[in-house]
Amino acid sequence: MRRAIHGRAALLAACACTVGGRGPVDAAPRAADPGVELYGAGHFTTGAWDFFMAFSPDQRQVLFGRADPSFDRYEILETRLGADGRWSKPAHPSFAGQWSDADPHLSPAGDAVYFISNRPIGPDEPGPRTTYDIWFAPRAPDGSWGPAQRVPEPVNDAAVDEWSPAIAASGNLYFGLERHGGHGGTDLWVARRVDGVYQPPENLGPAINTPGLEVEPWISPDESYLIFAGLRRVDSVGSYDLYFSRRRDGAWEPARPLASLNTAASEWNHSVSPDGEWLYFSSNRRYTGPLGPRFDDPRDDRSVAGVGDGKQGDIYRVSMRALGLP
């Protein structure tokens, strides 16, 4: 199948450390970076394609993504923080592992995780689909997971890809999609939940969307601000860059780049911690700084081989306060 430009295989090409045909780019963090630090070396950041951090409200349970080297197949992994202060070995949660699953986002209440998957829709489909739909799995108070369920139409369209679903406290669902009525390429949309039923997706409009590509919305629980990744926008500095917009009086302000974070590489796959203190993101920037606290226990240097080499995605974090956000 020929993937669309916003397909994950194409995203890998867009993220490679070549810009405008000029060859390899030194995308090391700049001195202006406001306290950006590598996060979770040996556990969350491993030299593989590591991306997205979805924390439970108490921040003791984490779902995150990992991809194969070609960025064509993805898995969701889960880890839990024990009473001894150690994270459990990452493993597939009960709702994942057989199919290609990615982009986990926990609801603000922590009672469900939303994600994308190419799993079959029904019993008449014997194998994986050629497109990704939005699914969710309920989370019990003890942290266990119920069976995954596909979000129904009109949110999903089985003929196209939906990307990176982010859920607000209201139940409104934000996600990326290329659909008629957009501004060109992949745009950001919201499907409002009214009386328990999702309404047809609404485009977020020209303050957010451009003829470039907008993907991966992270919406604040109260929907007062939005952070997303964009490609080929007029103010882009690299491949994928991070952008911020605030909503005032029911309207989105023109999105602005998070200039102190963006490099000639890609910054994307982001989330904000439940306490609002940290912005987590993935980047394939070259990095030669300290690994920071090691999360692998027992320590195994093979678990950090390739970290910072610019070939795949590593996970970073930065204080929201240092960014002057929200």
Side-chain angles (χ1 to χ4, degrees):
M1 180 192 70
R2 185 185 70 83
R3 303 290 292 184
I5 185 61
H6 62 285
R8 290 289 168 145
L11 293 186
L12 173 66
C15 291
C17 288
T18 57
V19 178
R22 295 196 304 267
V25 172
D26 183 1
R30 301 180 296 252
D33 284 354
V36 174
E37 60 186 52
L38 196 74
Y39 183 73
H43 191 82
F44 297 114
T45 295
T46 63
W49 269 107
D50 299 310
F51 62 100
F52 270 128
M53 300 286 287
F55 286 88
S56 62
D58 63 4
Q59 301 191 72
R60 301 187 68 86
Q61 185 178 2
V62 178
L63 296 166
F64 66 103
R66 186 165 289 162
D68 65 8
S70 65
F71 214 64
D72 270 331
R73 181 175 172 84
Y74 330 107
E75 59 181 334
I76 292 176
L77 298 172
E78 178 183 30
T79 179
R80 304 188 185 211
L81 184 63
D84 59 0
R86 299 176 181 177
W87 290 98
S88 64
K89 183 178 179 180
H92 295 127
S94 60
F95 62 82
Q98 183 178 1
W99 312 106
S100 184
D101 306 311
D103 301 355
H105 287 69
L106 273 164
S107 62
D111 57 0
V113 61
Y114 288 75
F115 62 100
I116 62 169
S117 180
N118 70 346
R119 64 188 64 197
I121 293 176
D124 294 336
E125 297 180 342
R129 296 181 57 80
T130 57
T131 58
Y132 284 82
D133 283 338
I134 298 172
W135 294 69
F136 75 96
R139 177 178 178 269
D142 65 359
S144 61
W145 300 104
Q149 305 171 50
R150 181 175 177 266
V151 175
E153 287 75 7
V155 173
N156 280 314
D157 180 340
V160 300
D161 293 312
E162 288 82 23
W163 298 116
S164 195
I167 189 79
S170 65
N172 293 342
L173 189 62
Y174 292 73
F175 55 99
L177 175 67
E178 184 172 350
R179 178 175 287 188
H180 177 72
H183 294 262
T186 303
D187 281 354
L188 301 186
W189 303 71
V190 58
R192 303 188 187 280
R193 192 170 177 87
V194 179
D195 296 329
V197 178
Y198 282 113
Q199 305 303 301
E202 303 170 18
N203 192 281
L204 294 190
I208 303 297
N209 295 311
T210 71
L213 277 71
E214 287 75 33
V215 297
E216 299 175 351
W218 187 91
I219 189 69
S220 63
D222 63 359
E223 298 171 88
S224 64
Y225 70 92
L226 174 74
I227 302 174
F228 65 94
L231 173 70
R232 299 176 190 158
R233 293 168 60 100
V234 295
D235 50 4
S236 294
V237 298
S239 292
Y240 280 88
D241 294 321
L242 293 178
Y243 291 82
F244 175 88
S245 177
R246 194 184 309 274
R247 191 164 66 171
R248 295 188 187 276
D249 299 323
W252 291 106
E253 295 180 340
R256 61 178 176 85
L258 296 181
S260 60
L261 295 187
N262 295 327
T263 70
S266 284
E267 283 72 39
W268 57 346
N269 304 144
H270 48 282
S271 63
V272 177
S273 59
D275 59 10
E277 293 293 323
W278 296 97
L279 172 64
Y280 293 86
F281 64 96
S282 182
S283 176
N284 63 339
R285 60 178 68 186
R286 294 177 183 168
Y287 178 80
T288 58
L291 289 178
R294 291 284 292 269
F295 283 38
D296 49 332
D297 187 14
R299 182 171 294 190
D300 183 352
D301 286 344
R302 291 175 296 181
S303 69
V304 295
V307 169
D309 64 7
K311 296 179 180 179
Q312 301 191 68
D314 300 317
I315 292 176
Y316 296 82
R317 73 174 186 176
V318 61
S319 164
M320 290 284 282
R321 184 175 302 175
L323 292 173
L325 301 179

